Structure formats: C-alpha cells, structure tokens
Amino acid sequence: MSRARGTRRQLPEAQVIFAVPGDPDTPSGGYGYDRRIAAELRAAGWALQWLRLPDGFPHPSAAALSKAYARLARQQQGTAVMIDGLALGVMPDVGEVLGPRRPLVALVHHPLALETGLDPGRAAQLRASERAALAAARRVVATSRATALLLADEYGVPASRITVAPPGTDPAAAATGSGGPEVAILSVGSLVPRKGHDLLLAALSRLRALPWRLTVVGDETRDPATAQVLRESVQGAGLAGRVDFAGAVDAPRLAALYAGADLFALASRHEGFGMAYAEALARGLPVVGTIAGGIPEAVPPGAGRLVPPNDVDALEEALCELLADRGARLRCAGAARRAASGLVRWTDTARRVADALRE
C-alpha cells in the first residue's frame, strides 16, 4: 500500500565514532571545535559516540599508540570513524587497522609538522606519517581554506576529497571596554610556542611609555617550560604589574574578559583558522595578529592589523598605532562589528561536516 501523499518518513542519520586523544573537555580551540561539532551533529540526529584514545598525542609512547590502534580495531564494522588530526597524524597504519568497512574521515585543524619548535627530523617524520594516514581517509575535513590548500599541495590529498568546515562563532554582545585610562589588551591562546606570546611580550616591552595592560588567557599545563619562560620574561622586562597570566578560565570569566577589553592581540606563528580571532570580532574588538595560516580568513581588512609572523618590528608598529590612536581603534572596532554579522555559525559548520560523513 502506498504511503499517503504529503507525508514523509523521518530517517535517523547514521552512526559515527568520533575519536579524540585524551579528554574531550581539554581547554583548547581544537578540542572546543570537536565538542561543538559533536553537540551539533547530535542535535541534527546523528548517533555520535566519543572514542577516547590514550593521552600523549601527538607524541604518544609505543604503548599508547598500540592501545589507540586496538581501540579503533574494536569498533563495529560499517560505522564511520572520524579521527581528530592530533591523533591521526601519528597513526600511519590507521587505514590497515580500520579496513574498508570502517570508513575513515580525517579532521585536520592544521598539519602536525607545522607546530613551532620541532627539529627538522621530527617534522619530516610527522609529515610522512600524516601523509600516510590521510591517504587512507575517504574524506578529509579541514578547518580553513589555507589548510585545505596545504593538504592538497604538500600532503597529496585530492582536492575532491577535502571538505572545508571553518569553525563557527556564536553571536555575542559588543565589548563595552575597560573604561579606564589604560588600553586593556586581551590575548587568548594556550601557552605554547606556536601562539607567539613571546613575540607579543617583546613588542609590548618596547611600548612601555604607552598606557596598556595585558591579560593572557590560556592553558599553562600543555607546555609548562614555555609558561615559565614567559613569566620570567615579564619579570626581566620590568612588566610585572602590567601583564596578568589568567590561565585557563571558564566560559563566563572569558566572556567577562572579552567584554572588558579594548583590543585583542595574538601573534601566532601558525593557525589552522584562529577561533579566538573570530570570537574577538564577534565582540567588535579591533585585532592585532599575523597573516599566518588561516588567520586572514577570520580577520577581514580594516578590522585590525595583521603582520608577518615572527616580525617583532611590524608587530610593535601595529600595536603602537592602535594603542596610541583611539580613533584608529574605533574605526577597526566598527569594521569588526560589521564583519561579525558575516561570521560562519556552528550549524553551518556542522552541516558541512555532516555532508563529509554522508559521502
């Protein structure tokens, strides 16, 4: 008997295993992307299950890597497996482990070989390992056009297999600013070399004569040695009392810091996209950053000043202009507010990831 005209059968989406190393609640942009995508996919009807791989990635012990492979091999056949690139990039044999009946989707925030501070030999190992792992993926999700181009040009991933799904940004109230005589600068990023906090501090140390205060929000446990060096550099530069390391903070505290900021600054050496930059734009904050990786996709012209990475002189000049000229800050803030309306939303991001999973 035919179904009545005008009715439509509602079919659930397929099941997907989302494999991430360690704790999905880890405070970082990459894990934040993973958590939000998982929530959005579930809301759209996907039966998504977390698969926690061991800690230690992207530099796992042999035992951790063996456990990760074993956990993947135990997954039900016929189920898609999406693996975060933090783990995938050091799993060159993942294709053999999953086999043809557990289709692999790779989620790449940025290639592991581009992490700052790697020696050339280790970088070459990571590049070869990630290239082998990506070759086994049915689809590859990249978080920016810049990353997609890197994967196609340097890792041999056919462009036809890549889906670009940039991070979404939630609407937010415009920052009200500090209201004080000093320009409140906010920087958000884990205290690791790639985020360039050392460059930002070096540039600001040359601008002592200008009125500013800096708050750095970011996890200090990922690289304690770097965190300690940054704290010592503040003392050595005579900036104690002007720089506050707030550590990892919860969402309400972070929202309050954005609201009370006058300027956002982050001197990243590389970003797959740069979620913190987009979050600053959503609040109408002028931005000082770099042109590394996908950052120019997040920060449009006029909303701030982007300089070459590792260029302290150019960073100093950009900061000096916006710290000294309130009119320039206001013009950039206006451009940031206009750009905020065009930011990608998380539902759009999840829709692109879902398309990759369906294919």
Side-chain angles (χ1 to χ4, degrees):
M1 182 175 179
S2 63
R3 189 175 300 275
R5 185 174 297 177
T7 63
R8 183 178 179 183
R9 184 184 178 195
Q10 296 298 314
L11 295 175
E13 295 285 8
Q15 184 179 14
V16 58
I17 301 298
F18 194 176
V20 299
D23 186 356
D25 290 327
T26 298
S28 74
Y31 280 98
Y33 182 105
D34 294 352
R35 290 192 298 273
R36 190 58 180 269
I37 287 299
E40 295 286 346
L41 288 176
R42 284 169 173 162
W46 287 81
L48 182 144
Q49 295 182 1
W50 287 113
L51 175 62
R52 287 185 56 167
L53 303 178
D55 292 322
F57 287 87
H59 307 293
S61 65
L65 185 59
S66 178
K67 287 180 181 178
Y69 279 139
R71 290 177 190 177
L72 289 169
R74 288 196 295 268
Q75 300 311 303
Q76 180 179 347
Q77 294 196 19
T79 301
V81 178
M82 183 163 62
I83 305 180
D84 185 277
L86 191 64
L88 179 79
V90 289
M91 304 179 77
D93 299 324
V94 67
E96 297 178 18
V97 170
L98 290 176
R101 296 202 59 198
R102 301 183 190 92
L104 170 63
V105 175
L107 171 58
V108 182
H109 301 283
H110 68 84
L112 297 180
L114 298 183
E115 193 65 42
T116 301
L118 296 173
D119 66 72
R122 179 55 177 162
Q125 289 175 350
L126 288 171
R127 190 173 291 106
S129 174
E130 195 156 17
R131 187 183 180 96
L134 288 169
R138 301 274 186 94
R139 298 293 302 179
V140 177
V141 176
T143 58
S144 69
R145 294 190 299 274
T147 298
L149 288 172
L150 272 174
L151 296 178
D153 292 345
E154 299 183 20
Y155 288 79
V157 181
S160 60
R161 287 202 282 121
I162 300 175
T163 295
V164 177
T169 306
D170 291 318
T176 54
S178 63
E182 296 173 320
V183 177
I185 308 171
L186 178 64
S187 186
V188 179
S190 298
L191 272 59
V192 296
R194 181 171 54 85
K195 296 295 182 179
H197 295 304
D198 57 323
L199 304 170
L200 179 59
L201 291 172
L204 286 172
S205 70
R206 302 177 182 180
L207 301 171
R208 292 185 183 87
L210 294 175
W212 57 266
R213 290 180 65 86
L214 171 66
T215 300
V216 180
V217 174
D219 185 6
E220 301 183 28
T221 64
R222 286 178 55 188
D223 190 339
T226 292
Q228 181 62 28
V229 168
L230 291 173
R231 289 182 176 277
E232 291 174 355
S233 71
V234 167
Q235 295 292 331
L239 298 178
R242 301 186 72 174
V243 178
D244 175 31
F245 291 99
V249 302
D250 59 22
R253 174 60 176 154
L254 182 58
L257 289 170
Y258 272 117
D262 302 303
L263 176 68
F264 179 88
L266 185 62
S268 295
R269 292 177 166 93
H270 184 80
E271 292 284 355
F273 178 78
M275 292 171 62
Y277 295 92
E279 290 171 359
L281 290 179
R283 292 163 172 83
L285 285 174
V287 169
V288 173
T290 71
I291 57 174
I295 297 171
E297 297 176 38
V299 183
R305 302 289 183 267
L306 299 183
V307 303
N310 291 303
D311 191 335
V312 176
D313 292 337
L315 186 62
E316 176 195 1
E317 182 178 350
L319 287 165
C320 183
E321 177 190 2
L322 294 183
L323 289 173
D325 188 344
R326 183 172 182 271
R329 287 201 307 277
L330 290 175
R331 289 190 293 275
C332 288
R337 286 192 294 272
R338 291 190 293 274
S341 63
L343 291 171
V344 173
R345 301 306 181 199
W346 282 109
T347 51
D348 299 320
T349 306
R351 189 177 300 115
R352 297 181 189 187
V353 175
D355 288 343
L357 290 168
R358 291 190 192 97
E359 292 175 13

